[in-house]
Each structure stands twice: as structure tokens, then as C-alpha cells.
Amino acid sequence: MKKIVSLLAVLCLLLGCVSVASAAIQITQQPETQTVKAGGNVTFTVKAKGVNGSAITWYFTNPETGETTTGKKLSSVVKGVKVQNPNSLKITLKKVPEAMHGWTMHAHIGRKTGGVDTDEVMILIAGLEPPEDVPAAAPKDEEDTKETADTKNEDSKDTKDTAKNTGKNSGKNSGSKGSDEPAVTPEPQIVYVTPEPPGPIVITANGKATELYLMDSKGQVVGDAVSELTFEAGKPANFYVKMAEGTEGTLAYVTVGNTRLIPEGEVTGMSVRGWETSATVKIKVNKGDEEPMATRVPVVEEDVDESQLVTVTCTNCRFTGWHNTYATTGKVPVGSTIMVFADSGLIRKGYTINGQDKQFKNQASFEFVVEEDTEISLEKQ
């Protein structure tokens, strides 16, 4: 009998260890519906256990169209809004417009299949009539808090009493000579979480005019032209894109996935550094009589009051907008939309705007609404 009990104890210990090691993601603090002034900033926070580097994606839904977009793409869907930390447990929306009144949002933690969703909350604009289906906030008054605490204490007491009785009965059943009931060993709750391993990064050339070359850590081209390159999962892809031999003209731009990279000057190829996902690559060629791509942005010619102009400065990047074309520094009216371009290739660390945290990670170009004197910079790899 002692050997059986010892064996059961060892098994319980082993199962307990498995339970702790493979605990599932548990949300400990849900986001809350918040009200923000039009044009103001608002932050939504989630707290969770067992995240351990899991992917975090925020989803936003337009109540009028029912369309859903991710936090990373929100600024391209809603004009004016800026998103900070779109893939973290704490997301900040800046310059929230009235158009987002009534939008719902939630976070998904983990894989697309098998992850955990937070509660759905709503964005409300101060001064506007709230929708009828505003999610209810958790009770915070003293009576609710007291009732919750009392309930918790009662549950704790019941749990202790149950455990105490279970222990007595278990000992009695195990030790009594004349009992017909077998000893009962509680089975631990075990949740197995198997992370999805990342696949290799595959870069594929689209079209006969596009050639791909492998590039080493020093930026040197290695080997011959190929139509496809495969990189190890978890390691950024560095490669070189070139117009095929015999193609007339110069490179207008390179499209990698959904990102357009614009070279500086008249070249036939450009490097792409730090790409992190599989993508298809395609080039656009200037055939000699076309204007460089970076200058093909309408320039607004109307005059404005000098007091309404602010200064934009780019470090390792350039911008186009108003009277500026592919410039490193210049003036634009407050509220102007500019297009920012990386000097060359792709900078995966993102841009720093007015000293804030890195934004627009893995983007070589992006639109930005200027509201004040603005300094934009990025760190080259």
C-alpha cells in the first residue's frame, strides 16, 4: 500500500509540474470603454499572465460598415489618427477624430487559432450622444466592492472546508481496512499550449524584369541572380533587387509585399534590409522620359500666412509635400499631409518622430499629418 501511495504522489508531482509549465494565457485586467475629446489621445491597457512573447493584435471595427482592421493598419483607414505600440498590451491612439465615435475594439493574444480575446470595448467622443450598446464597465462603487470581497471570503471558506473534508475522507478511505471505496486522487487540470513554429521567410520575384540577389551582413551581393530566396525563420532577410540585364531605363521603385521602396537618384537596383515576412517583390521601371518617382507628388501652390508654417526636418529620410519635393528640411502649413521616404532600403527599427518611441516599423515610406515643428529620424542598420 505504501508503494502505491508513493507512486501516486510522484505522479501528482509530475502532473503538477506539467500543469505549471504549460499554463495557458490568462487575462487579469480587461480593457475598458473610454471617452476622449475629439483630437485627443487615449490609451487602452490589458494585463495578462502566460503571454511569454505571444503575438498581440488589436482589432478595430467600424460600426457603420462592419469592417474590421488591425491597430497597425488603423492610421491608413482612419484619416488623422496615429497609433502607438499597436502590437503590445498597452496601445495609444493619438488625435482621435470624431469619425471614430462608437468604434469597438478588442485585443487578441496568441496565435490566430487558439489564442485568447479580451472583452470588446468602445471608443466614445466627448459631447456626442453615446450609442445604445455601450459595453458596461465593471462595478467600482463601495457596495459592489464589499459584496465582491464578502463573496470571495465565503468562497475561500467553502474551498478550505471542502479541502479539509476531502483530506479526511481520503485518509479514511485509504487507511480503513474494511472500506470498499477506493482512494480518490484529484486529477489536476492540465492545459497544453503548443506554439506555432515560425516558417522560413521566402522572397519571390514577380516578373521577368525583376532579379533577386542574396546580400551578406556587410551589404555585399553574393552569388548569381535568382527568382526566389529563402531565409531562416526568425532572422531578418537582407537581399538586393535589380532590373534584369537588357532592361532599358532606371528603377522607379520596388514593391515588397504592400510596401513601396523608392530609391534615391537614377539607379538600376537597391538593397532591402531587415525584411521579416515572406513577400513578393516587383519593380517599376522609368523608361527614360519619365519623371523620378519621388517627385511625382502634387505640389500645392496656394499662399498661406507665414505664421501658419511649421518646419519639418528629416534625418536619414526625405519628405514631399506642399512646396517641398524629396527634401531633408522645409516648411509646410499646419495640418499638411506629407509623404516620408527612407533614404535607401528598409529600416526595420522604425522612425522616431519628435523624440517619441519608434513608429512605422518595417515601413520605408508613410504619410504623416504635420501639426507642429516636426523632427523625423531613423537609425540605419
Side-chain angles (χ1 to χ4, degrees):
M1 179 62 72
K2 290 182 179 180
K3 290 183 177 180
I4 295 175
V5 173
S6 299
L7 180 59
L8 288 173
V10 171
L11 288 175
C12 287
L13 287 173
L14 290 175
L15 289 172
C17 292
V18 174
S19 177
V20 172
S22 56
I25 297 170
Q26 179 184 2
I27 296 175
T28 58
Q29 178 181 316
Q30 296 283 356
E32 296 181 357
T33 293
Q34 297 198 51
T35 302
V36 60
K37 292 182 180 180
N41 304 337
V42 63
T43 298
F44 294 85
T45 303
V46 175
K47 292 184 180 179
K49 295 180 179 179
V51 176
N52 296 329
S54 299
I56 301 166
T57 306
W58 289 86
Y59 291 94
F60 295 79
T61 301
N62 185 336
E64 295 182 1
T65 64
E67 295 180 352
T68 298
T69 188
T70 63
K72 191 172 183 179
K73 297 181 180 179
L74 184 63
S75 58
S76 63
V77 175
V78 181
K79 186 177 181 181
V81 70
K82 302 299 175 185
V83 182
Q84 186 173 340
N85 302 323
N87 298 111
S88 71
L89 293 174
K90 185 176 181 181
I91 186 173
T92 298
L93 306 183
K94 296 185 175 182
K95 301 178 183 177
V96 181
E98 286 190 2
M100 290 200 70
H101 179 63
W103 278 53
T104 56
M105 58 182 290
H106 73 278
H108 181 83
I109 305 174
R111 294 180 296 167
K112 291 183 179 180
T113 57
V116 177
D117 288 331
T118 67
D119 291 344
E120 190 173 73
V121 297
M122 188 174 288
I123 303 170
L124 302 176
I125 303 299
L128 299 183
E129 186 70 23
E132 296 180 358
D133 54 347
V134 176
K140 294 185 179 180
D141 53 65
E142 293 183 2
E143 292 184 3
D144 289 335
T145 304
K146 185 175 183 299
E147 181 180 352
T148 302
D150 292 341
T151 303
K152 184 176 181 180
N153 290 334
E154 290 177 5
D155 291 342
S156 177
K157 182 180 178 183
D158 291 341
T159 302
K160 290 180 180 178
D161 291 342
T162 301
K164 186 176 181 182
N165 293 333
T166 301
K168 288 182 178 179
N169 294 334
S170 177
K172 187 180 294 183
N173 290 336
S174 300
S176 60
K177 297 180 179 179
S179 174
D180 294 331
E181 298 181 5
V184 178
T185 302
E187 183 178 349
Q189 296 296 317
I190 305 172
V191 180
Y192 295 95
V193 179
T194 304
E196 184 176 350
I201 300 173
V202 180
I203 307 298
T204 306
N206 185 354
K208 295 181 179 180
T210 305
E211 292 182 349
L212 298 176
Y213 294 84
L214 184 63
M215 193 167 60
D216 62 20
S217 59
K218 296 181 180 180
Q220 301 297 317
V221 173
V222 179
D224 299 325
V226 295
S227 59
E228 184 174 282
L229 291 170
T230 301
F231 298 87
E232 183 180 346
K235 293 186 178 180
N238 298 328
F239 55 96
Y240 189 78
V241 185
K242 184 178 178 296
M243 294 165 45
E245 292 294 335
T247 304
E248 296 182 359
T250 57
L251 194 63
Y253 59 81
V254 174
T255 302
V256 184
N258 294 321
T259 300
R260 178 176 292 183
L261 311 178
I262 300 176
E264 180 179 359
E266 297 183 355
V267 296
T268 58
M270 68 181 300
S271 62
V272 179
R273 298 171 181 265
W275 194 267
E276 295 182 325
T277 59
S278 296
T280 299
V281 179
K282 187 175 182 179
I283 66 171
K284 174 67 171 65
V285 177
N286 277 333
K287 296 184 179 180
D289 56 349
E290 298 180 69
E291 196 176 1
M293 186 65 196
T295 66
R296 286 187 236 158
V297 177
V299 177
V300 181
E301 297 294 346
E302 70 265 19
D303 294 326
V304 297
D305 187 344
E306 288 289 331
S307 63
Q308 297 298 312
L309 295 178
V310 292
T311 301
V312 178
T313 303
C314 267
T315 302
N316 293 332
C317 58
R318 298 173 183 270
F319 77 95
T320 296
W322 203 54
H323 291 290
N324 306 280
T325 302
Y326 214 49
T328 56
T329 185
K331 292 183 177 292
V332 300
V334 173
S336 296
T337 298
I338 63 173
M339 177 65 75
V340 180
F341 307 94
D343 267 353
S344 63
L346 183 70
I347 310 300
R348 61 191 288 255
K349 293 183 178 180
Y351 294 77
T352 299
I353 301 177
N354 287 339
Q356 297 178 357
D357 294 338
K358 293 289 192 300
Q359 302 180 51
F360 304 107
K361 181 181 177 181
N362 280 346
Q363 290 186 228
S365 62
F366 63 94
E367 286 187 349
F368 183 77
V369 179
V370 181
E371 300 291 350
E372 58 186 347
D373 287 344
T374 302
E375 294 184 0
I376 304 172
S377 63
L378 52 80
E379 181 181 350
K380 288 187 174 181
Q381 286 189 316

